[in-house]
Amino acid sequence: MENSSEIVSFVLSMYGDIGHLKYLYFLLTMILYVSVILANTALIVIIYVKPNLHEPMYLFLCSLFVNDIYGSTALLPCLMVQILSETHDISLLFCFIQIFNIQTYVDIEFRTLAITSYDRYVCICKPLRYNNIITTRRVQIVILVIWIVSFIQVGVLLSFTIRLRFCGTVIEKVCCVNDLVLELSCSPNRMLSYLNSLLFGLVFGVTAPLVFILFTYVKILSVCLKASKETKTKAFDTCTPHLVSIMSFVFACFYNIVSQKFDMTFVPLELRVILLTYAFLIQPMLNPLIYGLKLSKIRGAFKRFN
């Protein structure tokens, strides 16, 4: 087993020297982080205390909100520390922990959105069988499986990375990314780690859920084209928040992938940082907003809760 004892830390080079603006950036990040926690926690509490929200769809949403808190916590506290830091070093151990947390957040988000799309498909395309197919017990099991599988899968992915020997130290991002860490390796077997990252990270974690989501929405669209106006309205109302959430998260992940492969220095640094942290700053705020405002049951429960 190769070790990485020669290198004890990496440098996150994208922070650069921002002078006294670091205090402003720190304050804005802290406000956003606190807002993410409060907004998502509020909806989790509302779903928990309101018996009329103890339905399959809202259990999926509760899992999504918990994951949004988890995802923002995977990056934002570290981001705030690095903003105030002068050196922007991150230890190998903490870097690997951050990779694990970020990757599991992404996998759980995509899989939860995928299974929620199936819930919408059954609700719209098979309404009479909905209560038989989508039961509370089955939803609880599926949510548990999503979280367990994601943790195990990312654990396997990371087990290949931590075995490598590293010769480089500079990561041109605001956080640790598995593919960029692999580029710093000088181990002869790092190609195996690349293949593992491609299989477990991109194929199983991202592509498979997106293909499933596309399949379910093709089915929903085919039914809506032949359905009544009432069914089309119902489909629009229930699917709009879900589609907005999917497109937002896909955009965030797509930019992160593109920025790893191409030179993005033509984009202003501040905008690059915002886009790179979009999935951890904007997405966790977007989900509670769109679901809280669009879904009438949550909106009504929130008004009565106050």
Side-chain angles (χ1 to χ4, degrees), residues 282-294:
I282 310 301
Q283 184 76 15
M285 275 301 298
L286 181 66
N287 282 336
L289 285 176
I290 58 175
Y291 286 110
L293 294 175
K294 187 63 179 176

Side-chain angles (χ1 to χ4, degrees), residues 128-191:
L128 298 179
R129 298 179 57 197
Y130 180 82
N131 291 330
N132 292 327
I133 298 174
I134 309 293
T135 65
T136 301
R137 180 62 176 170
R138 286 177 181 172
V139 168
Q140 291 170 342
I141 293 172
V142 167
I143 290 173
L144 184 62
V145 168
I146 286 174
W147 282 75
I148 291 175
V149 168
S150 297
F151 277 95
I152 292 174
Q153 178 182 302
V154 177
V156 172
L157 181 151
L158 198 57
S159 68
F160 284 81
T161 304
I162 63 178
R163 291 171 174 267
L164 300 175
R165 180 168 56 88
F166 299 100
C167 298
T169 59
V170 179
I171 301 174
E172 295 183 4
K173 285 289 181 290
V174 294
C175 62
C176 289
V177 180
N178 190 62
D179 286 353
L180 296 183
V181 170
L182 291 178
E183 290 179 5
L184 302 178
S185 170
C186 48
S187 295
N189 62 341
R190 70 172 182 173
M191 185 54 65

Side-chain angles (χ1 to χ4, degrees), residues 32-44 69 72-73 284-285:
L32 283 169
Y33 181 48
V34 172
S35 300
V36 165
I37 293 175
L38 291 177
N40 284 279
T41 302
L43 290 187
I44 292 168
I69 295 174
S72 60
T73 303
M285 275 301 298

Side-chain angles (χ1 to χ4, degrees), residues 103-275:
Q103 190 64 49
T104 48
Y105 160 65
V106 172
D107 287 3
I108 293 168
E109 191 85 358
F110 271 121
R111 285 170 177 151
T112 304
L113 290 171
I115 199 63
T116 306
S117 71
Y118 179 73
D119 174 82
R120 296 299 83 205
Y121 158 71
V122 176
C123 179
I124 295 166
C125 301
K126 302 179 181 180
L128 298 179
R129 298 179 57 197
Y130 180 82
N131 291 330
N132 292 327
I133 298 174
I134 309 293
T135 65
T136 301
R137 180 62 176 170
R138 286 177 181 172
V139 168
Q140 291 170 342
I141 293 172
V142 167
I143 290 173
L144 184 62
V145 168
I146 286 174
W147 282 75
I148 291 175
V149 168
S150 297
F151 277 95
I152 292 174
Q153 178 182 302
V154 177
V156 172
L157 181 151
L158 198 57
S159 68
F160 284 81
T161 304
I162 63 178
R163 291 171 174 267
L164 300 175
R165 180 168 56 88
F166 299 100
C167 298
T169 59
V170 179
I171 301 174
E172 295 183 4
K173 285 289 181 290
V174 294
C175 62
C176 289
V177 180
N178 190 62
D179 286 353
L180 296 183
V181 170
L182 291 178
E183 290 179 5
L184 302 178
S185 170
C186 48
S187 295
N189 62 341
R190 70 172 182 173
M191 185 54 65
L192 181 61
S193 299
Y194 273 119
L195 294 175
N196 178 64
S197 178
L198 179 66
L199 180 63
F200 286 97
L202 188 59
V203 176
F204 290 158
V206 178
T207 306
L210 284 178
V211 170
F212 184 78
I213 290 169
L214 181 61
F215 172 77
T216 57
Y217 271 99
V218 168
K219 290 287 188 180
I220 291 172
L221 182 61
S222 65
V223 169
C224 288
L225 290 175
K226 306 171 187 175
S228 64
K229 184 178 180 181
E230 182 182 352
T231 301
K232 291 177 182 177
T233 302
K234 177 185 175 182
F236 179 79
D237 288 342
T238 58
C239 292
T240 298
H242 185 248
L243 282 171
V244 171
S245 182
I246 291 169
M247 290 187 289
S248 171
F249 200 63
V250 168
F251 164 77
C253 294
F254 178 75
Y255 178 81
N256 272 273
I257 293 172
V258 169
S259 66
Q260 292 175 31
K261 306 301 180 183
F262 301 98
D263 182 13
M264 303 297 289
T265 53
F266 64 92
V267 180
L269 177 61
E270 292 80 4
L271 181 57
R272 272 186 285 154
V273 172
I274 291 172
L275 291 174

Side-chain angles (χ1 to χ4, degrees), residues 2-119:
E2 294 179 276
N3 60 67
S4 49
S5 57
E6 297 86 349
I7 301 293
V8 296
S9 65
F10 296 125
V11 178
L12 302 172
S13 63
M14 185 167 278
Y15 289 95
D17 182 14
I18 53 178
H20 293 298
L21 285 175
K22 64 183 180 182
Y23 301 108
L24 174 62
Y25 293 155
F26 174 86
L27 181 62
L28 291 174
T29 305
M30 184 174 67
I31 291 172
L32 283 169
Y33 181 48
V34 172
S35 300
V36 165
I37 293 175
L38 291 177
N40 284 279
T41 302
L43 290 187
I44 292 168
V45 171
I46 288 172
I47 292 172
Y48 178 77
V49 301
K50 297 295 182 180
N52 67 317
L53 296 180
H54 295 177
E55 298 176 2
M57 183 178 73
Y58 299 102
L59 294 180
F60 287 131
L61 292 183
C62 198
S63 176
L64 197 67
F65 299 147
V66 171
N67 190 49
D68 285 340
I69 295 174
Y70 171 66
S72 60
T73 303
L75 174 64
L76 299 190
C78 176
L79 185 71
M80 288 186 284
V81 170
Q82 291 292 340
I83 287 173
L84 295 180
S85 176
E86 298 294 334
T87 59
H88 310 304
D89 290 343
I90 182 169
S91 69
L92 258 67
L93 175 61
F94 194 80
C95 183
F96 293 144
I97 292 173
Q98 190 176 67
I99 291 172
F100 179 85
N101 292 340
I102 289 174
Q103 190 64 49
T104 48
Y105 160 65
V106 172
D107 287 3
I108 293 168
E109 191 85 358
F110 271 121
R111 285 170 177 151
T112 304
L113 290 171
I115 199 63
T116 306
S117 71
Y118 179 73
D119 174 82

